[in-house]
Amino acid sequence: SVGSSSIGKAKSKQFEAHCSLSEMLLGIKSGQYYRGTIRSSDRNSHDKCYVTIRKGEERVAVMVNGGEDINRAVDGDVVAIKLHPVDRWMNEGNQKPKGENEKAKESESGMIAMETAEPSIKDEDNVMEAIPVSSMASMKPTGQVVGIVRRNFRQNYAGSIYAPSSSTDAKKSPRDAIAETCETEHMDGTLTCVFFPVDKRVPPILIRTSQRDRLLQQRILVAIDSWPTDSLYPLGHYVRSIGLAGTKDVETEVVLHEHDIPCDPFPAKVLACLPPKDYKIDADNSPGRLDLRHLPVLSIDPPGCKDIDDALHCIVLPNGNYQVGVHIADVTHYVQPGTPIDFEAANRSTSTYLVNKRLDM
């Protein structure tokens, strides 16, 4: 994995240090800080986030935007945040704080007392005592992450290593700029390179490897190890290769991984719960069940279907009316609570249909 002393070309402090857990808990208890889960507000960006906090009985979404305010938090982390002064809140229309001229005009329309959290003594001088009536409804509170209560890094992330372009064009992509800033050669022959996750809500990850050239154009899995204050991006390590990027089977595996869809073969203990191959329904193994096999029951599942679990029947009654029956497979008769097949079914929940295959429930 990458060490904080060996990454990037800039060794200076990039972020504010996080508060200790005791400081965060004390601040949350006193109302100086708020606790919540940070979430990306844009699926295509890792630097536009929000944290939903509780203020009394209300739930308020606090916008946390930009690297400085997000302060090394990653989508899904449980964080402690502090609110910015009201003059730094975002206008809902243009997503920017009001300018001084707009504030001056609005001040003539009347003022109301600010309705945010109680400020601490050290912050009191930075909080406006009153805000314009007309602007309150259109303003969104903003804040900054002051600490991580609990990290929720996934076990690993799918994506690819990015090599900076050799083009001499003045206009380069954002990825080129990141790669040029962070890619570093080391005396031992290894290279710190930039890994871009498929999930764009996750920031680029810096990994140190001697296999960079072999891993280019590959889909790989990378785990995050840490994110020190002197690193622009989190540090991680290479886990394994999935395969050549862009191929159908590899991209299918990436989709399954990113959505956490179980795709491993059924284990032996689950298969052992199935009835034997020569199983037949009879009165002894079906107590209390109604036998409807005398009816003309027809499956509505397509040819070749493995799960024939939906069916219909229709007959004419003696009085001339039609009886229509809807038949659904009685799965619970074969799945006993607390068995391996019961737990496996709860984990899988549903069948998954992909372009080139299906995964049974």
Side-chain angles (χ1 to χ4, degrees), residues 252-264 347-354 358-360:
T252 297
E253 187 172 343
V254 169
V255 169
L256 294 173
H257 175 274
E258 288 300 295
H259 292 86
D260 198 23
I261 298 174
C263 54
D264 294 330
N347 181 45
R348 299 200 180 216
S349 300
T350 183
S351 295
T352 302
Y353 295 86
L354 301 160
R358 53 166 282 168
L359 301 172
D360 295 324

Side-chain angles (χ1 to χ4, degrees), residues 12-85:
S12 60
K13 183 178 177 182
Q14 304 292 331
F15 299 97
E16 292 295 324
H18 290 151
C19 296
S20 67
L21 182 59
S22 58
E23 290 174 325
M24 285 188 285
L25 296 177
L26 183 61
I28 293 169
K29 186 176 180 180
S30 67
Q32 180 183 2
Y33 303 145
Y34 292 90
R35 171 177 170 153
T37 301
I38 192 165
R39 293 295 185 189
S40 174
S41 58
D42 182 347
R43 291 194 64 87
N44 293 313
S45 174
H46 61 84
D47 59 2
K48 296 178 182 178
C49 300
Y50 69 92
V51 177
T52 301
I53 64 171
R54 289 189 178 275
K55 183 178 179 297
E57 296 298 319
E58 297 183 28
R59 292 166 61 86
V60 180
V62 179
M63 309 307 295
V64 185
N65 293 329
E68 182 179 348
D69 282 348
I70 296 173
N71 194 10
R72 296 173 289 142
V74 176
D75 183 78
D77 286 347
V78 179
V79 300
I81 66 169
K82 66 178 180 180
L83 295 179
H84 284 317

Side-chain angles (χ1 to χ4, degrees), residues 138-185:
S138 63
M139 298 296 284
K140 288 185 176 180
T142 62
Q144 179 183 36
V145 172
V146 297
I148 309 294
V149 178
R150 184 175 68 251
R151 283 288 191 191
N152 278 330
F153 292 153
R154 280 165 38 195
Q155 185 174 3
N156 42 57
Y157 300 89
S160 298
I161 290 175
Y162 188 82
S165 172
S166 57
S167 172
T168 57
D169 294 345
K171 187 177 181 180
K172 294 189 176 182
S173 71
R175 289 194 172 191
D176 280 325
I178 294 172
E180 287 182 358
T181 300
C182 299
E183 192 166 279
T184 307
E185 293 184 15

Side-chain angles (χ1 to χ4, degrees), residues 159-161 193 207 209-220 238 240-241 243:
S160 298
I161 290 175
C193 46
I207 64 172
T209 179
S210 59
Q211 308 178 69
R212 175 210 186 242
D213 292 340
R214 183 179 73 82
L215 297 178
L216 288 175
Q217 309 302 321
Q218 297 282 311
R219 288 297 195 194
I220 64 175
Y238 165 77
R240 70 174 178 89
S241 294

Side-chain angles (χ1 to χ4, degrees), residues 32 82-87 114 116-130:
Q32 180 183 2
K82 66 178 180 180
L83 295 179
H84 284 317
V86 178
D87 59 358
M114 183 183 68
T116 59
E118 288 283 339
S120 64
I121 294 175
K122 66 176 182 179
D123 292 333
E124 205 164 41
D125 293 338
N126 296 323
V127 179
M128 295 171 61
E129 293 181 357

